[in-house]
Amino acid sequence: MEEINNIEVVPCTNSNYLKPFRLHYNQNGTRKSWDFMRTHDSVSVLIFNTTSHCFVLVKQFRPAVYMCEWEKAKQQPPEPSEETAEEGGAAAAASAATTPSAEGAAAAEESSEGPAAAEEEGAAASSSSSASPTAAGGQPPAAVGVTYELCAGLVDKPQLSLEEIARQEVLEECGYDVPVAKLRRITSYRSGVGVTGAKQTMFYAEVSEENRVGAGGGQPEEGELIEVVTVPLHEAMTFAYDESIPKTMGVIFSFIWFHNNMSPKYKISTNV
């Protein structure tokens, strides 16, 4: 989707979006502590294009997802190449043939030199364009941080209603002008209950090509880089349950909601 480089992770001492706190409290006579973050509530919108019978989603790079995947890659030992494995096997066989205690010596040598060798291999992988991006904990490709999501936005404009904020997000991110009266409230729920406890309110909107007034893509001046994507109605449930496609829980839940509440109206199978 894009190139990610010049990464630098630093402590977050001041943010307009997250404020960390530690809560001390008594529960049933037991003293407890809990770390949490205060953040904004949000809205999300399931958009269905009645002209093309497709759901309209957004696709974007998420730094938090990217860093989680990078940390996961660092924890996995690098897999030796086929050529290295064959050379190692031949060397072990030759060593075992020459001395009975070679196995113990080889193990001790691996224990003392393994980390250094892995570090050198990681440096080589980072500098070589032909090496695997995640080899030996190297920087993964940007694609691992890209997710499919509902059109959504923060509730950070006190002068606007939730419906007005949702309408604004649909216009900015997906390019459709939807009247507030056409937004149907599905439900609201808590997300990140162990860390933020923020509330998200989900809406449903039907659009057609007549509602399209722009290309969408978000607001670049605010750092947004959003790709608008579509999922055909008949592929929706397959898409929802395909674990190889990174997506938010909102996508899965909203597709199930549509299948239960709206699909009979269109008499089209959502492929359950």
Side-chain angles (χ1 to χ4, degrees):
M1 187 176 180
E2 59 271 312
E3 181 182 355
I4 302 297
N5 51 35
N6 296 329
I7 294 175
E8 182 181 4
V9 180
V10 299
C12 180
T13 57
N14 186 27
S15 171
N16 293 327
Y17 306 102
L18 302 172
K19 297 186 184 303
F21 295 92
R22 175 165 295 164
L23 175 69
H24 301 290
Y25 62 101
N26 289 343
Q27 184 176 22
N28 295 337
T30 301
R31 189 65 174 167
K32 295 183 177 182
S33 297
W34 194 274
D35 296 342
F36 71 98
M37 288 188 294
R38 184 178 297 159
T39 186
H40 294 287
D41 290 340
S42 60
V43 296
S44 62
V45 187
L46 172 63
I47 305 172
F48 181 65
N49 189 316
T50 58
T51 303
S52 61
H53 280 194
C54 288
F55 293 107
V56 181
L57 304 180
V58 297
K59 180 181 175 185
Q60 58 184 317
F61 175 78
R62 290 297 193 181
V65 175
Y66 182 79
M67 293 308 297
C68 283
E69 290 299 318
W70 194 350
E71 289 299 322
K72 189 188 305 180
K74 288 179 182 178
Q75 297 170 8
Q76 298 176 353
E79 296 183 3
S81 64
E82 190 173 324
E83 182 178 346
T84 303
E86 291 177 357
E87 290 176 358
S95 178
T98 55
T99 171
S101 60
E103 183 177 350
E109 183 177 353
E110 182 180 355
S111 175
S112 61
E113 296 183 1
E119 186 175 344
E120 292 173 2
E121 183 180 348
S126 298
S127 61
S128 172
S129 59
S130 61
S132 171
T134 56
Q139 180 181 331
V144 304
V146 174
T147 59
Y148 292 84
E149 311 168 15
L150 296 180
C151 170
L154 298 177
V155 178
D156 56 359
K157 302 178 181 65
Q159 72 278 14
L160 299 180
S161 67
L162 294 180
E163 288 79 5
E164 289 169 330
I165 293 175
R167 174 185 179 275
Q168 191 174 74
E169 294 299 333
V170 171
L171 180 60
E172 293 175 358
E173 294 189 359
C174 301
Y176 293 97
D177 188 2
V178 180
V180 168
K182 295 294 185 180
L183 287 169
R184 172 177 173 178
R185 182 172 179 143
I186 296 177
T187 190
S188 63
Y189 49 88
R190 297 286 177 178
S191 60
V193 292
V195 180
T196 67
K199 178 184 286 188
Q200 182 166 94
T201 303
M202 182 181 291
F203 294 93
Y204 171 68
E206 292 186 352
V207 300
S208 66
E209 291 308 305
E210 296 178 356
N211 298 112
R212 187 189 292 274
V213 295
Q219 295 183 305
E221 64 274 14
E222 295 184 2
E224 293 182 326
L225 182 58
I226 296 172
E227 179 182 347
V228 181
V229 296
T230 58
V231 177
L233 177 58
H234 66 276
E235 298 177 6
M237 298 308 293
T238 299
F239 180 93
Y241 288 107
D242 187 343
E243 295 184 30
S244 69
I245 303 174
K247 68 186 77 67
T248 62
M249 188 61 204
V251 172
I252 300 173
F253 170 79
S254 63
F255 281 9
I256 295 174
W257 174 87
F258 185 96
H259 168 73
N260 291 336
N261 295 274
M262 304 300 295
S263 58
K265 171 181 176 181
Y266 297 97
K267 298 180 181 178
I268 296 179
S269 171
T270 47
N271 195 22
V272 178

mmCIF file with all atom_site columns, all heavy atoms in Angstrom, residues 24-41:
data_model
loop_
_atom_site.group_PDB
_atom_site.id
_atom_site.type_symbol
_atom_site.label_atom_id
_atom_site.label_alt_id
_atom_site.label_comp_id
_atom_site.label_asym_id
_atom_site.label_entity_id
_atom_site.label_seq_id
_atom_site.pdbx_PDB_ins_code
_atom_site.Cartn_x
_atom_site.Cartn_y
_atom_site.Cartn_z
_atom_site.occupancy
_atom_site.B_iso_or_equiv
_atom_site.pdbx_formal_charge
_atom_site.auth_seq_id
_atom_site.auth_comp_id
_atom_site.auth_asym_id
_atom_site.auth_atom_id
_atom_site.pdbx_PDB_model_num
ATOM 1   N N   . HIS A 1 24 ? -6.168  3.305  41.438 1.00 0.00 ? 24 HIS A N   1
ATOM 2   C CA  . HIS A 1 24 ? -6.090  2.510  42.663 1.00 0.00 ? 24 HIS A CA  1
ATOM 3   C C   . HIS A 1 24 ? -7.493  2.472  43.274 1.00 0.00 ? 24 HIS A C   1
ATOM 4   O O   . HIS A 1 24 ? -8.143  3.519  43.407 1.00 0.00 ? 24 HIS A O   1
ATOM 5   C CB  . HIS A 1 24 ? -5.101  3.133  43.658 1.00 0.00 ? 24 HIS A CB  1
ATOM 6   C CG  . HIS A 1 24 ? -3.710  3.266  43.135 1.00 0.00 ? 24 HIS A CG  1
ATOM 7   N ND1 . HIS A 1 24 ? -2.883  2.192  42.914 1.00 0.00 ? 24 HIS A ND1 1
ATOM 8   C CD2 . HIS A 1 24 ? -3.002  4.376  42.763 1.00 0.00 ? 24 HIS A CD2 1
ATOM 9   C CE1 . HIS A 1 24 ? -1.715  2.618  42.447 1.00 0.00 ? 24 HIS A CE1 1
ATOM 10  N NE2 . HIS A 1 24 ? -1.771  3.942  42.339 1.00 0.00 ? 24 HIS A NE2 1
ATOM 11  N N   . TYR A 1 25 ? -7.948  1.286  43.664 1.00 0.00 ? 25 TYR A N   1
ATOM 12  C CA  . TYR A 1 25 ? -9.301  1.180  44.209 1.00 0.00 ? 25 TYR A CA  1
ATOM 13  C C   . TYR A 1 25 ? -9.435  -0.072 45.071 1.00 0.00 ? 25 TYR A C   1
ATOM 14  O O   . TYR A 1 25 ? -8.604  -0.988 45.018 1.00 0.00 ? 25 TYR A O   1
ATOM 15  C CB  . TYR A 1 25 ? -10.322 1.133  43.069 1.00 0.00 ? 25 TYR A CB  1
ATOM 16  C CG  . TYR A 1 25 ? -10.173 -0.061 42.130 1.00 0.00 ? 25 TYR A CG  1
ATOM 17  C CD1 . TYR A 1 25 ? -11.012 -1.175 42.253 1.00 0.00 ? 25 TYR A CD1 1
ATOM 18  C CD2 . TYR A 1 25 ? -9.200  -0.077 41.141 1.00 0.00 ? 25 TYR A CD2 1
ATOM 19  C CE1 . TYR A 1 25 ? -10.881 -2.257 41.412 1.00 0.00 ? 25 TYR A CE1 1
ATOM 20  C CE2 . TYR A 1 25 ? -9.055  -1.151 40.290 1.00 0.00 ? 25 TYR A CE2 1
ATOM 21  C CZ  . TYR A 1 25 ? -9.897  -2.243 40.422 1.00 0.00 ? 25 TYR A CZ  1
ATOM 22  O OH  . TYR A 1 25 ? -9.752  -3.332 39.579 1.00 0.00 ? 25 TYR A OH  1
ATOM 23  N N   . ASN A 1 26 ? -10.470 -0.092 45.876 1.00 0.00 ? 26 ASN A N   1
ATOM 24  C CA  . ASN A 1 26 ? -10.805 -1.262 46.689 1.00 0.00 ? 26 ASN A CA  1
ATOM 25  C C   . ASN A 1 26 ? -11.979 -1.993 46.049 1.00 0.00 ? 26 ASN A C   1
ATOM 26  O O   . ASN A 1 26 ? -12.969 -1.361 45.664 1.00 0.00 ? 26 ASN A O   1
ATOM 27  C CB  . ASN A 1 26 ? -11.187 -0.863 48.117 1.00 0.00 ? 26 ASN A CB  1
ATOM 28  C CG  . ASN A 1 26 ? -9.984  -0.389 48.924 1.00 0.00 ? 26 ASN A CG  1
ATOM 29  O OD1 . ASN A 1 26 ? -8.845  -0.640 48.550 1.00 0.00 ? 26 ASN A OD1 1
ATOM 30  N ND2 . ASN A 1 26 ? -10.250 0.289  50.026 1.00 0.00 ? 26 ASN A ND2 1
ATOM 31  N N   . GLN A 1 27 ? -11.873 -3.300 45.933 1.00 0.00 ? 27 GLN A N   1
ATOM 32  C CA  . GLN A 1 27 ? -12.969 -4.123 45.439 1.00 0.00 ? 27 GLN A CA  1
ATOM 33  C C   . GLN A 1 27 ? -13.193 -5.282 46.395 1.00 0.00 ? 27 GLN A C   1
ATOM 34  O O   . GLN A 1 27 ? -12.327 -6.145 46.559 1.00 0.00 ? 27 GLN A O   1
ATOM 35  C CB  . GLN A 1 27 ? -12.658 -4.648 44.028 1.00 0.00 ? 27 GLN A CB  1
ATOM 36  C CG  . GLN A 1 27 ? -13.812 -5.440 43.419 1.00 0.00 ? 27 GLN A CG  1
ATOM 37  C CD  . GLN A 1 27 ? -13.526 -5.878 41.995 1.00 0.00 ? 27 GLN A CD  1
ATOM 38  O OE1 . GLN A 1 27 ? -12.389 -5.966 41.574 1.00 0.00 ? 27 GLN A OE1 1
ATOM 39  N NE2 . GLN A 1 27 ? -14.581 -6.144 41.251 1.00 0.00 ? 27 GLN A NE2 1
ATOM 40  N N   . ASN A 1 28 ? -14.355 -5.271 47.056 1.00 0.00 ? 28 ASN A N   1
ATOM 41  C CA  . ASN A 1 28 ? -14.685 -6.305 48.042 1.00 0.00 ? 28 ASN A CA  1
ATOM 42  C C   . ASN A 1 28 ? -13.587 -6.464 49.090 1.00 0.00 ? 28 ASN A C   1
ATOM 43  O O   . ASN A 1 28 ? -13.202 -7.570 49.464 1.00 0.00 ? 28 ASN A O   1
ATOM 44  C CB  . ASN A 1 28 ? -14.931 -7.648 47.347 1.00 0.00 ? 28 ASN A CB  1
ATOM 45  C CG  . ASN A 1 28 ? -16.139 -7.613 46.440 1.00 0.00 ? 28 ASN A CG  1
ATOM 46  O OD1 . ASN A 1 28 ? -17.035 -6.799 46.613 1.00 0.00 ? 28 ASN A OD1 1
ATOM 47  N ND2 . ASN A 1 28 ? -16.159 -8.493 45.448 1.00 0.00 ? 28 ASN A ND2 1
ATOM 48  N N   . GLY A 1 29 ? -13.052 -5.323 49.530 1.00 0.00 ? 29 GLY A N   1
ATOM 49  C CA  . GLY A 1 29 ? -12.050 -5.355 50.598 1.00 0.00 ? 29 GLY A CA  1
ATOM 50  C C   . GLY A 1 29 ? -10.631 -5.579 50.130 1.00 0.00 ? 29 GLY A C   1
ATOM 51  O O   . GLY A 1 29 ? -9.707  -5.589 50.960 1.00 0.00 ? 29 GLY A O   1
ATOM 52  N N   . THR A 1 30 ? -10.416 -5.772 48.846 1.00 0.00 ? 30 THR A N   1
ATOM 53  C CA  . THR A 1 30 ? -9.074  -6.012 48.314 1.00 0.00 ? 30 THR A CA  1
ATOM 54  C C   . THR A 1 30 ? -8.583  -4.774 47.571 1.00 0.00 ? 30 THR A C   1
ATOM 55  O O   . THR A 1 30 ? -9.299  -4.231 46.732 1.00 0.00 ? 30 THR A O   1
ATOM 56  C CB  . THR A 1 30 ? -9.065  -7.215 47.355 1.00 0.00 ? 30 THR A CB  1
ATOM 57  O OG1 . THR A 1 30 ? -9.529  -8.378 48.061 1.00 0.00 ? 30 THR A OG1 1
ATOM 58  C CG2 . THR A 1 30 ? -7.666  -7.476 46.813 1.00 0.00 ? 30 THR A CG2 1
ATOM 59  N N   . ARG A 1 31 ? -7.388  -4.330 47.890 1.00 0.00 ? 31 ARG A N   1
ATOM 60  C CA  . ARG A 1 31 ? -6.806  -3.175 47.231 1.00 0.00 ? 31 ARG A CA  1
ATOM 61  C C   . ARG A 1 31 ? -6.256  -3.601 45.865 1.00 0.00 ? 31 ARG A C   1
ATOM 62  O O   . ARG A 1 31 ? -5.536  -4.593 45.756 1.00 0.00 ? 31 ARG A O   1
ATOM 63  C CB  . ARG A 1 31 ? -5.664  -2.608 48.072 1.00 0.00 ? 31 ARG A CB  1
ATOM 64  C CG  . ARG A 1 31 ? -5.127  -1.256 47.588 1.00 0.00 ? 31 ARG A CG  1
ATOM 65  C CD  . ARG A 1 31 ? -6.165  -0.184 47.701 1.00 0.00 ? 31 ARG A CD  1
ATOM 66  N NE  . ARG A 1 31 ? -5.630  1.153  47.373 1.00 0.00 ? 31 ARG A NE  1
ATOM 67  C CZ  . ARG A 1 31 ? -6.384  2.205  47.168 1.00 0.00 ? 31 ARG A CZ  1
ATOM 68  N NH1 . ARG A 1 31 ? -7.723  2.099  47.242 1.00 0.00 ? 31 ARG A NH1 1
ATOM 69  N NH2 . ARG A 1 31 ? -5.857  3.376  46.906 1.00 0.00 ? 31 ARG A NH2 1
ATOM 70  N N   . LYS A 1 32 ? -6.636  -2.863 44.827 1.00 0.00 ? 32 LYS A N   1
ATOM 71  C CA  . LYS A 1 32 ? -6.224  -3.206 43.479 1.00 0.00 ? 32 LYS A CA  1
ATOM 72  C C   . LYS A 1 32 ? -5.731  -1.977 42.724 1.00 0.00 ? 32 LYS A C   1
ATOM 73  O O   . LYS A 1 32 ? -5.998  -0.837 43.117 1.00 0.00 ? 32 LYS A O   1
ATOM 74  C CB  . LYS A 1 32 ? -7.387  -3.835 42.699 1.00 0.00 ? 32 LYS A CB  1
ATOM 75  C CG  . LYS A 1 32 ? -7.873  -5.167 43.242 1.00 0.00 ? 32 LYS A CG  1
ATOM 76  C CD  . LYS A 1 32 ? -8.964  -5.749 42.357 1.00 0.00 ? 32 LYS A CD  1
ATOM 77  C CE  . LYS A 1 32 ? -9.416  -7.118 42.856 1.00 0.00 ? 32 LYS A CE  1
ATOM 78  N NZ  . LYS A 1 32 ? -10.451 -7.712 41.977 1.00 0.00 ? 32 LYS A NZ  1
ATOM 79  N N   . SER A 1 33 ? -5.013  -2.236 41.637 1.00 0.00 ? 33 SER A N   1
ATOM 80  C CA  . SER A 1 33 ? -4.553  -1.177 40.743 1.00 0.00 ? 33 SER A CA  1
ATOM 81  C C   . SER A 1 33 ? -4.812  -1.605 39.312 1.00 0.00 ? 33 SER A C   1
ATOM 82  O O   . SER A 1 33 ? -4.764  -2.800 38.986 1.00 0.00 ? 33 SER A O   1
ATOM 83  C CB  . SER A 1 33 ? -3.060  -0.900 40.936 1.00 0.00 ? 33 SER A CB  1
ATOM 84  O OG  . SER A 1 33 ? -2.795  -0.438 42.245 1.00 0.00 ? 33 SER A OG  1
ATOM 85  N N   . TRP A 1 34 ? -5.085  -0.625 38.452 1.00 0.00 ? 34 TRP A N   1
ATOM 86  C CA  . TRP A 1 34 ? -5.349  -0.930 37.037 1.00 0.00 ? 34 TRP A CA  1
ATOM 87  C C   . TRP A 1 34 ? -4.884  0.239  36.166 1.00 0.00 ? 34 TRP A C   1
ATOM 88  O O   . TRP A 1 34 ? -5.222  1.387  36.443 1.00 0.00 ? 34 TRP A O   1
ATOM 89  C CB  . TRP A 1 34 ? -6.839  -1.178 36.817 1.00 0.00 ? 34 TRP A CB  1
ATOM 90  C CG  . TRP A 1 34 ? -7.128  -1.815 35.486 1.00 0.00 ? 34 TRP A CG  1
ATOM 91  C CD1 . TRP A 1 34 ? -7.319  -1.189 34.291 1.00 0.00 ? 34 TRP A CD1 1
ATOM 92  C CD2 . TRP A 1 34 ? -7.231  -3.213 35.216 1.00 0.00 ? 34 TRP A CD2 1
ATOM 93  N NE1 . TRP A 1 34 ? -7.544  -2.100 33.288 1.00 0.00 ? 34 TRP A NE1 1
ATOM 94  C CE2 . TRP A 1 34 ? -7.494  -3.358 33.846 1.00 0.00 ? 34 TRP A CE2 1
ATOM 95  C CE3 . TRP A 1 34 ? -7.138  -4.351 36.016 1.00 0.00 ? 34 TRP A CE3 1
ATOM 96  C CZ2 . TRP A 1 34 ? -7.658  -4.608 33.242 1.00 0.00 ? 34 TRP A CZ2 1
ATOM 97  C CZ3 . TRP A 1 34 ? -7.308  -5.582 35.411 1.00 0.00 ? 34 TRP A CZ3 1
ATOM 98  C CH2 . TRP A 1 34 ? -7.566  -5.711 34.044 1.00 0.00 ? 34 TRP A CH2 1
ATOM 99  N N   . ASP A 1 35 ? -4.123  -0.071 35.146 1.00 0.00 ? 35 ASP A N   1
ATOM 100 C CA  . ASP A 1 35 ? -3.679  0.944  34.195 1.00 0.00 ? 35 ASP A CA  1
ATOM 101 C C   . ASP A 1 35 ? -4.676  1.038  33.043 1.00 0.00 ? 35 ASP A C   1
ATOM 102 O O   . ASP A 1 35 ? -5.110  0.020  32.505 1.00 0.00 ? 35 ASP A O   1
ATOM 103 C CB  . ASP A 1 35 ? -2.297  0.596  33.630 1.00 0.00 ? 35 ASP A CB  1
ATOM 104 C CG  . ASP A 1 35 ? -1.221  0.599  34.716 1.00 0.00 ? 35 ASP A CG  1
ATOM 105 O OD1 . ASP A 1 35 ? -1.457  1.177  35.785 1.00 0.00 ? 35 ASP A OD1 1
ATOM 106 O OD2 . ASP A 1 35 ? -0.143  0.013  34.473 1.00 0.00 ? 35 ASP A OD2 1
ATOM 107 N N   . PHE A 1 36 ? -5.040  2.267  32.683 1.00 0.00 ? 36 PHE A N   1
ATOM 108 C CA  . PHE A 1 36 ? -5.975  2.449  31.584 1.00 0.00 ? 36 PHE A CA  1
ATOM 109 C C   . PHE A 1 36 ? -5.645  3.728  30.838 1.00 0.00 ? 36 PHE A C   1
ATOM 110 O O   . PHE A 1 36 ? -4.820  4.539  31.282 1.00 0.00 ? 36 PHE A O   1
ATOM 111 C CB  . PHE A 1 36 ? -7.421  2.484  32.095 1.00 0.00 ? 36 PHE A CB  1
ATOM 112 C CG  . PHE A 1 36 ? -7.771  3.731  32.861 1.00 0.00 ? 36 PHE A CG  1
ATOM 113 C CD1 . PHE A 1 36 ? -8.436  4.792  32.246 1.00 0.00 ? 36 PHE A CD1 1
ATOM 114 C CD2 . PHE A 1 36 ? -7.434  3.870  34.208 1.00 0.00 ? 36 PHE A CD2 1
ATOM 115 C CE1 . PHE A 1 36 ? -8.763  5.943  32.951 1.00 0.00 ? 36 PHE A CE1 1
ATOM 116 C CE2 . PHE A 1 36 ? -7.753  5.020  34.916 1.00 0.00 ? 36 PHE A CE2 1
ATOM 117 C CZ  . PHE A 1 36 ? -8.417  6.057  34.291 1.00 0.00 ? 36 PHE A CZ  1
ATOM 118 N N   . MET A 1 37 ? -6.282  3.903  29.691 1.00 0.00 ? 37 MET A N   1
ATOM 119 C CA  . MET A 1 37 ? -6.078  5.104  28.901 1.00 0.00 ? 37 MET A CA  1
ATOM 120 C C   . MET A 1 37 ? -7.410  5.758  28.597 1.00 0.00 ? 37 MET A C   1
ATOM 121 O O   . MET A 1 37 ? -8.376  5.079  28.256 1.00 0.00 ? 37 MET A O   1
ATOM 122 C CB  . MET A 1 37 ? -5.362  4.778  27.585 1.00 0.00 ? 37 MET A CB  1
ATOM 123 C CG  . MET A 1 37 ? -3.906  4.416  27.767 1.00 0.00 ? 37 MET A CG  1
ATOM 124 S SD  . MET A 1 37 ? -3.033  4.275  26.195 1.00 0.00 ? 37 MET A SD  1
ATOM 125 C CE  . MET A 1 37 ? -3.862  2.847  25.500 1.00 0.00 ? 37 MET A CE  1
ATOM 126 N N   . ARG A 1 38 ? -7.449  7.065  28.741 1.00 0.00 ? 38 ARG A N   1
ATOM 127 C CA  . ARG A 1 38 ? -8.634  7.821  28.378 1.00 0.00 ? 38 ARG A CA  1
ATOM 128 C C   . ARG A 1 38 ? -8.508  8.235  26.912 1.00 0.00 ? 38 ARG A C   1
ATOM 129 O O   . ARG A 1 38 ? -7.470  8.758  26.493 1.00 0.00 ? 38 ARG A O   1
ATOM 130 C CB  . ARG A 1 38 ? -8.782  9.056  29.266 1.00 0.00 ? 38 ARG A CB  1
ATOM 131 C CG  . ARG A 1 38 ? -10.056 9.857  29.012 1.00 0.00 ? 38 ARG A CG  1
ATOM 132 C CD  . ARG A 1 38 ? -10.148 11.025 29.969 1.00 0.00 ? 38 ARG A CD  1
ATOM 133 N NE  . ARG A 1 38 ? -10.242 10.531 31.364 1.00 0.00 ? 38 ARG A NE  1
ATOM 134 C CZ  . ARG A 1 38 ? -9.930  11.273 32.409 1.00 0.00 ? 38 ARG A CZ  1
ATOM 135 N NH1 . ARG A 1 38 ? -9.480  12.500 32.241 1.00 0.00 ? 38 ARG A NH1 1
ATOM 136 N NH2 . ARG A 1 38 ? -10.057 10.774 33.620 1.00 0.00 ? 38 ARG A NH2 1
ATOM 137 N N   . THR A 1 39 ? -9.530  7.981  26.152 1.00 0.00 ? 39 THR A N   1
ATOM 138 C CA  . THR A 1 39 ? -9.502  8.325  24.736 1.00 0.00 ? 39 THR A CA  1
ATOM 139 C C   . THR A 1 39 ? -10.902 8.739  24.283 1.00 0.00 ? 39 THR A C   1
ATOM 140 O O   . THR A 1 39 ? -11.850 8.719  25.078 1.00 0.00 ? 39 THR A O   1
ATOM 141 C CB  . THR A 1 39 ? -8.994  7.130  23.898 1.00 0.00 ? 39 THR A CB  1
ATOM 142 O OG1 . THR A 1 39 ? -8.839  7.528  22.533 1.00 0.00 ? 39 THR A OG1 1
ATOM 143 C CG2 . THR A 1 39 ? -9.966  5.962  23.975 1.00 0.00 ? 39 THR A CG2 1
ATOM 144 N N   . HIS A 1 40 ? -11.030 9.101  23.030 1.00 0.00 ? 40 HIS A N   1
ATOM 145 C CA  . HIS A 1 40 ? -12.320 9.543  22.506 1.00 0.00 ? 40 HIS A CA  1
ATOM 146 C C   . HIS A 1 40 ? -13.228 8.348  22.193 1.00 0.00 ? 40 HIS A C   1
ATOM 147 O O   . HIS A 1 40 ? -12.750 7.271  21.830 1.00 0.00 ? 40 HIS A O   1
ATOM 148 C CB  . HIS A 1 40 ? -12.131 10.346 21.216 1.00 0.00 ? 40 HIS A CB  1
ATOM 149 C CG  . HIS A 1 40 ? -11.416 11.653 21.417 1.00 0.00 ? 40 HIS A CG  1
ATOM 150 N ND1 . HIS A 1 40 ? -12.005 12.745 22.013 1.00 0.00 ? 40 HIS A ND1 1
ATOM 151 C CD2 . HIS A 1 40 ? -10.153 12.029 21.094 1.00 0.00 ? 40 HIS A CD2 1
ATOM 152 C CE1 . HIS A 1 40 ? -11.142 13.744 22.048 1.00 0.00 ? 40 HIS A CE1 1
ATOM 153 N NE2 . HIS A 1 40 ? -10.018 13.331 21.495 1.00 0.00 ? 40 HIS A NE2 1
ATOM 154 N N   . ASP A 1 41 ? -14.527 8.558  22.299 1.00 0.00 ? 41 ASP A N   1
ATOM 155 C CA  . ASP A 1 41 ? -15.482 7.603  21.745 1.00 0.00 ? 41 ASP A CA  1
ATOM 156 C C   . ASP A 1 41 ? -15.424 7.727  20.221 1.00 0.00 ? 41 ASP A C   1
ATOM 157 O O   . ASP A 1 41 ? -14.750 8.606  19.668 1.00 0.00 ? 41 ASP A O   1
ATOM 158 C CB  . ASP A 1 41 ? -16.894 7.900  22.260 1.00 0.00 ? 41 ASP A CB  1
ATOM 159 C CG  . ASP A 1 41 ? -17.053 7.573  23.734 1.00 0.00 ? 41 ASP A CG  1
ATOM 160 O OD1 . ASP A 1 41 ? -16.247 6.788  24.261 1.00 0.00 ? 41 ASP A OD1 1
ATOM 161 O OD2 . ASP A 1 41 ? -17.985 8.124  24.361 1.00 0.00 ? 41 ASP A OD2 1
#
